[in-house]
Amino acid sequence: MMRPGLLLPEMLLAGGAFTTLIGGSFVPRHRQWLIRAVTIAVLVGAISAAAIQLRHPATSAFDDSFSVDTATGFARVIAATGTLLILAIAADEISGSPRESETYALLLFSTAGAVLLAGANDLLVLAVGFLLASIPLYALIGLATTPESAEAAMKTYLMGALFGILLLLGVTILSGLAGTTGYAELTVRLPDASRSVATVAVVALVAGLMFKAGGVPAHFWVPDAAQGASATAATFLTTVPKIGALLAVYRLATVLPPSTSWPIVVAVIAAVSMTLGNLAAYWQSDPRRLLGWSTVSQVGFVVVPVVAVDHSELALPSLLLYLAGYTVTNIAAFAVSAALPQHRNLTDYRGLASHHAALAAALLVALLGLVGTPPTAVFVGKLTTATAAWDGGYAWLAIVVFINSVISLFYYLRWIVPAYRDPAPAPFGSDHSPMKVPARRWSARLAVTAAALSLAVGVAAGLVWDAAAGI
Amino acid sequence: MLSVIVFLPLAAAVALVAVPRLGDTPARWAWVAVSAVDLALVAVLWVRYDTPPAGGLDSSQQVPWIPGVNSSYHVGVDGLSLPLVAMTAVIFLACAVYALRERHRPRGQAALFLFLQSVSLGVFVAADLILFFVFFDLSIVGMFFVIAGWGHGNQAHSALKFFLYTFLGSLALLAGFIGLYVAADPHTFDMPQLVAATPLAGRPLAGGLVLAAILLGLAVKTPTVPFHTWLPPAHTDAPAVGSAVLAGVLLKMGTYGFVRIGMPMLPQAWRAWAWVIITVGVVSVIYGALVALAQSNLKRMVAYTSVNHMGYIVLAVGVAGLAANDTAQARTVAVSGAVTQMVSHGLITAALFLLAGVLRERAGTYDVHEYGGLAAAAPAFATLFAVGAFASLGLPAFSGFIAEFQIFTGSIAAAPATAVALLGILITAALFLRALQRVFTGEIRGKSVGFADLRAGERWSIGPLLLLSLLIGVLPRPLLDVIEPAAQTVIGLLGR
């Protein structure tokens, strides 16, 4: 059955994207806030539709090619909420700029693609979702029109093309092996297929999805893009596409037979991703680049429960909880950097606590949250994902998670410590220190809101968990 | 009731931060007032305390938190936690009074310490492993900012070292908790349930590994040799009130974890590893005392005596694991001594660190060679310091004697070899007497010249701590009546 009504949130997002794209051409530049209002309305509509849908039992649409269940519902809500929050950064950064409405359209398209990825229950839908989520990203990164953003866009594009082909290769092999692209039938037929060929396909598929998630082995574009793109784009591309890609990995994992050794592939990707991201982040002096590497390591953490999908009932709820917590916490951290766009070196943050106490508090909550300090949302996420992995027989992966959490503390502290030091004395002959610049209003508000949300999700983790477990 | 005690300081801290343009003086006094109210509430709690049945908790309260992983907001007190809760409230009030003269960002300091008070109380009342961990971890974050924000010397480096070390320990602890959770059937993080279930009972290897993770986490926090290296720099560079809280309260979280989590939940593994724990305890006792003897920096010396004093506790809880039914009585005495030592060390060391803070505040140095004849210049200071030093070395009539006497009676009866640790007392006595002689006797010279004696705020913060120690030393029954049933329960649980 088609049942297109089940895809109302996706249709809203895609329709909203077209509306803003076309509408933007007819609205004068000083009235572009109208387009922003339309975008907000579309996202709020999508969130509401998704939330209502969450209360219904799991089902699927378009001949079982798109599942509409708790995971999809959660992905819709988190992705649309993430994009909605990021609009606050856009309100400061690109308000009245020549490419404002186009940016909104690209954000909406990419959000739609991420949600499509999350719900894909068919290899072809997966491929479509991948492309829909990726192509707008290249443009988003390139919109900043600086040499760095051009380089980052080029790098992302090349990486995307390479790993997109890998993904399509995996899709082709699997559908050739099983004679079908639907997940339901793949589950039945794959155990009989050639094991080595299927394993090759699995590696190709997971690697392709890791491009979208920004994890090893397809992570090279992330730090460049986080550094070179506008704050809006950087926050978006390190947050929303991950939601779709990681849930797509989860769904694939439920389909694949263990004989393809996918759990090992995923476990190795998780371990290498968190370790490499952490080690590389340590040397960064640009806060955005540091956060870029930090998101690489976070992907490693989030993907951990996937290894236990067959063995632990904690796997899916913990994954969803971590994604929700990561989304708000990562946005909070990026929002701090967006609120002070001139501060592109960690040392510039010296004295932040004296001049922008609220912003410093948000930074503290966000960064300690990313480390996994209780009672923030990411702590509960890390706790439950590690528990799920241990429960599923991967105790060593849980230990790797904890060791990496300690390592990650080093570089997050490199940002927190200067922020809480006394302000540097004013340079000779001038009476204002670099910290006295006013923070961008909406970004600062977003930072505080998102940090508060990250605490709230952590404290109210029981409620989120129940929703994620479909209770 | 219990939740009010825990969260009242936190609410006050939030209010202090949120109220704009609050003056420094009101902030200081608000801190004192809130701590005093909290202490009064703890007194009420103590008066209304009924010894719960074995394995039970008094004033307990349970609210589901993350039902998916069977973790709840579960709090309660028993004979192990109630004395520590009371000690925590006393020390924080003393710090609040001591800090009334603080000039550096007093409002932030008050808020931070109130926050620390909440999380410290939370650790001691938590009856759920995740809740315990939440408070345990937050205490590290709070103390990091205390050292980094109000410390002196090389405080950024010391604070970082403290944070990294103890954070590593806390994650080892968390790994152990998850191991317990996964092994328990049904999976749960609830402490009483885990105690009843003794997961990993029949699996010596897994049990040993989980216990090793938990012990590592707690040993870093306690700290014991060889995980103590973060402690001396942290103490030396921390502000006086920070050191008092760090040594008085935060170190107890480690030792409390032994009796609350390690022993009752993993009794088989604990018994199997008892001699390792005893050895670590004895080495900590001797090593801590010897290194303290070599210090000329007074604050560093007190810090190393903390390693020594914590060593007695580790020794006692290790001895408790020596399985032999005919020594159950002796081992109960040892555990009871260990808990008494936690309270006693908290009170005495907090007082000594506050006194060391006075030295620095007046003369800018902790070096004992810079002083001489201070007894004549500052008689009140000298008196209190001498009282603190004698209490610390375990002179009868002070709480330290009660504690160490029980520890040694129990330990030597159960394992005569542990008498080696008596050397620790001897060395501590020597080093304190030597320090007293250097600083206080002789002619007034060096920094002692013009040294102002204790002010009212300092007397009223340090004095009560030592007075309480004296009170426990003379009238130990009220305290022991609370501790002993709990110690018996722990020994009973260990025998399974």
Side-chain angles (χ1 to χ4, degrees):
Chain A
M1 277 191 292
M2 299 270 285
R3 295 196 287 184
L6 291 174
L7 262 69
L8 185 61
E10 286 74 18
M11 287 193 281
L12 271 173
L13 289 172
F18 281 116
T19 314
T20 49
L21 188 62
I22 297 164
S25 320
F26 295 94
V27 176
R29 192 177 294 172
H30 64 276
R31 292 241 185 89
Q32 293 274 323
W33 59 268
L34 274 171
I35 302 296
R36 191 157 70 234
V38 171
T39 315
I40 292 172
V42 165
L43 286 167
V44 171
I47 295 169
S48 320
I52 293 167
Q53 186 69 53
L54 253 180
R55 298 161 59 100
H56 296 289
T59 175
S60 62
F62 289 94
D63 291 324
D64 205 22
S65 62
F66 187 83
S67 12
V68 182
D69 54 10
T70 312
T72 308
F74 244 75
R76 285 166 167 169
V77 173
I78 305 171
T81 310
T83 312
L84 186 64
L85 292 175
I86 291 165
L87 288 182
I89 298 179
D92 283 332
E93 188 173 57
I94 57 169
S95 175
S97 76
R99 293 280 169 263
E100 190 177 357
S101 57
E102 285 83 348
T103 306
Y104 298 142
L106 291 169
L107 288 176
L108 287 178
F109 272 127
S110 193
T111 310
V115 177
L116 211 54
L117 263 182
N121 205 28
D122 186 294
L123 290 173
L124 293 178
V125 179
L126 182 76
V128 171
F130 181 88
L131 293 176
L132 183 56
S134 302
I135 294 169
L137 273 194
Y138 310 142
L140 267 177
I141 298 169
L143 274 183
T145 61
T146 57
E148 290 82 17
S149 95
E151 188 194 331
M154 181 55 96
K155 208 164 178 175
T156 312
Y157 175 72
L158 290 177
M159 294 292 296
L162 174 64
F163 282 90
I165 289 169
L166 261 182
L167 180 104
L168 291 176
L169 178 73
V171 169
T172 315
I173 298 177
L174 275 194
S175 53
L177 272 179
T180 176
T181 55
Y183 282 4
E185 285 165 71
L186 279 173
T187 320
V188 180
R189 295 190 200 169
L190 271 183
D192 303 330
S194 157
R195 197 180 137 192
S196 51
V197 182
T199 307
V200 170
V202 168
V203 172
L205 274 173
V206 175
L209 286 172
M210 277 300 132
F211 164 75
K212 280 266 56 65
V216 171
H219 60 281
F220 302 101
W221 61 279
V222 179
D224 287 322
Q227 184 179 25
S230 65
T232 312
T235 317
F236 180 82
L237 64 89
T238 53
T239 313
V240 178
K242 288 191 200 310
I243 301 166
L246 290 166
L247 279 172
V249 173
Y250 159 77
R251 279 192 204 282
L252 265 180
T254 57
V255 170
L256 299 169
S259 63
T260 55
S261 37
W262 65 263
I264 295 295
V265 175
V266 173
V268 167
I269 283 179
V272 176
S273 209
M274 56 180 109
T275 313
L276 187 72
N278 276 337
L279 295 181
Y282 184 70
W283 308 104
Q284 306 308 327
S285 58
D286 181 326
R288 296 244 181 98
R289 201 173 171 84
L290 182 145
L291 280 179
W293 279 112
S294 125
T295 66
V296 173
S297 77
Q298 292 289 333
V299 170
F301 293 125
V302 190
V303 90
V304 161
V306 172
V307 300
V309 282
D310 292 341
H311 305 288
S312 176
E313 60 199 20
L314 301 176
L316 179 62
S318 66
L319 174 67
L320 295 176
L321 188 64
Y322 201 131
L323 279 174
Y326 167 75
T327 302
V328 288
T329 315
N330 194 51
I331 287 178
F334 268 99
V336 172
S337 126
L340 297 164
Q342 301 85 4
H343 293 62
R344 291 309 289 266
N345 196 310
L346 294 180
T347 51
D348 296 341
Y349 279 82
R350 181 162 176 184
L352 180 70
S354 312
H355 295 289
H356 304 288
L359 211 52
L363 182 72
L364 179 71
V365 171
L367 295 188
L368 285 183
L370 288 174
V371 178
T373 309
T376 58
V378 174
F379 161 69
V380 186
K382 260 189 193 167
L383 167 73
T384 50
T385 50
T387 309
W390 195 318
D391 199 22
Y394 284 83
W396 66 268
L397 196 56
I399 303 295
V400 173
V401 166
F402 291 133
I403 294 173
N404 269 294
S405 298
V406 177
I407 300 175
S408 71
L409 186 62
F410 280 90
Y411 60 85
Y412 292 123
L413 278 181
R414 287 185 59 223
W415 193 355
I416 296 174
V417 168
Y420 277 85
R421 283 176 64 185
D422 290 333
F428 187 71
S430 88
D431 56 357
H432 65 91
S433 73
M435 253 307 149
K436 290 232 171 101
V437 289
R440 283 179 170 176
R441 220 159 28 133
W442 281 103
S443 302
R445 284 178 193 162
L446 171 65
V448 174
T449 312
L453 268 177
S454 138
L455 275 176
V457 173
V459 173
L463 299 176
V464 183
W465 181 278
D466 284 350
I471 298 169
Chain B
M1 175 78 182
L2 214 47
S3 300
V4 174
I5 291 175
V6 172
F7 289 106
L8 174 74
L10 184 64
V14 172
L16 273 181
V17 173
V19 175
R21 287 187 242 304
L22 186 70
D24 288 346
T25 313
R28 292 187 188 109
W29 282 102
W31 180 15
V32 175
V34 172
S35 291
V37 170
D38 218 35
L39 180 60
L41 288 173
V42 171
V44 174
L45 181 75
W46 189 299
V47 170
R48 287 176 30 184
Y49 172 76
D50 280 323
T51 303
L57 295 167
D58 193 53
S59 313
S60 75
Q61 195 178 11
Q62 190 166 17
V63 183
W65 181 30
I66 316 175
V69 290
N70 276 326
S71 174
S72 58
Y73 171 79
H74 188 185
V75 294
V77 287
D78 64 3
L80 303 176
S81 45
L82 184 62
L84 292 172
V85 168
M87 178 207 73
T88 305
V90 169
I91 290 179
F92 273 97
L93 177 58
C95 289
V97 173
Y98 184 91
L100 277 173
R101 294 179 64 87
E102 177 69 46
R103 285 180 297 272
H104 184 55
R105 290 188 278 177
R107 185 155 73 123
Q109 192 190 34
L112 190 53
F113 271 81
L114 286 168
F115 167 79
L116 257 179
Q117 180 170 2
S118 266
V119 299
S120 305
L121 292 168
V123 168
F124 295 129
V125 301
D128 181 277
L129 289 178
I130 295 308
L131 194 63
F132 180 92
F133 178 80
V134 167
F135 289 128
F136 190 92
D137 219 33
L138 286 177
S139 76
I140 298 172
V141 177
M143 187 45 73
F144 169 77
F145 280 101
V146 168
I147 300 174
W150 283 266
H152 43 255
N154 197 1
Q155 80 265 43
H157 184 256
S158 300
L160 194 65
K161 191 169 180 181
F162 162 78
F163 199 166
L164 292 175
Y165 240 102
T166 48
F167 191 75
L168 175 73
S170 80
L171 286 177
L173 194 62
L174 186 60
F177 289 174
I178 293 180
L180 282 172
Y181 168 87
V182 171
D185 188 30
H187 295 342
T188 181
F189 281 114
D190 193 64
M191 287 191 196
Q193 281 184 35
L194 282 170
V195 169
T198 58
L200 296 164
R203 295 159 62 190
L205 177 65
L209 285 175
V210 168
L211 183 67
I214 291 177
L215 283 183
L216 173 67
L218 297 174
V220 169
K221 187 87 171 183
T222 299
T224 67
V225 175
F227 305 109
H228 65 284
T229 49
W230 60 267
L231 180 109
H235 270 308
T236 317
D237 296 339
V241 281
S243 281
V245 167
L246 177 57
V249 181
L250 264 62
L251 300 193
K252 304 306 171 302
M253 295 176 184
T255 51
Y256 174 70
F258 291 131
V259 288
R260 169 63 67 205
I261 297 166
M263 295 160 80
M265 289 181 200
L266 294 158
Q268 293 82 8
W270 189 278
R271 291 203 303 267
W273 291 92
W275 275 108
V276 176
I277 300 167
I278 293 173
T279 313
V280 169
V282 172
V283 171
S284 292
V285 166
I286 307 280
Y287 180 83
L290 283 176
V291 180
L293 186 65
Q295 302 302 320
S296 62
N297 180 324
L298 195 77
K299 207 175 180 192
R300 232 179 148 81
M301 184 190 90
V302 178
Y304 272 109
T305 62
S306 286
V307 177
N308 160 274
H309 282 111
M310 294 292 104
Y312 296 129
I313 300 178
V314 177
L315 164 67
V317 295
V319 165
L322 293 177
N325 279 330
D326 55 331
T327 59
Q329 181 66 32
R331 290 182 292 132
T332 307
V333 172
V335 171
S336 162
V339 179
T340 317
Q341 173 78 335
M342 292 183 210
V343 177
S344 156
H345 174 259
L347 297 173
I348 298 168
T349 306
L352 284 176
F353 274 123
L354 292 181
L355 285 165
V358 175
L359 276 187
R360 185 186 155 82
E361 203 248 335
R362 303 279 202 283
T365 175
Y366 298 121
D367 194 338
V368 293
H369 300 299
E370 303 265 345
Y371 299 91
L374 198 53
F381 179 82
T383 313
L384 283 186
F385 195 92
V387 170
F390 283 119
S392 181
L393 62 84
L395 198 73
F398 287 102
S399 56
F401 173 72
I402 304 288
E404 283 162 26
F405 180 74
Q406 290 189 82
I407 290 176
F408 279 111
T409 316
S411 302
I412 296 174
T418 55
V420 189
L422 280 170
L423 263 179
I425 294 195
L426 205 65
I427 304 172
T428 336
L431 71 92
F432 269 119
L433 291 175
R434 204 186 52 166
L436 283 175
Q437 185 213 354
R438 283 260 165 76
V439 176
F440 294 104
T441 59
E443 277 178 44
I444 300 181
R445 62 183 172 82
K447 303 274 187 187
S448 299
V449 180
F451 193 97
D453 206 356
L454 292 183
R455 302 190 184 93
E458 289 155 355
R459 283 176 210 213
W460 282 104
S461 55
I462 301 165
L465 292 174
L466 294 173
L467 200 65
L468 260 176
S469 169
L470 182 69
L471 203 65
I472 294 172
V474 179
L475 293 169
R477 265 344 297 172
L479 180 65
L480 292 182
D481 283 342
V482 171
I483 295 175
E484 274 167 0
Q488 254 160 17
T489 310
V490 169
I491 292 297
L493 292 171
L494 255 181
R496 288 179 294 173

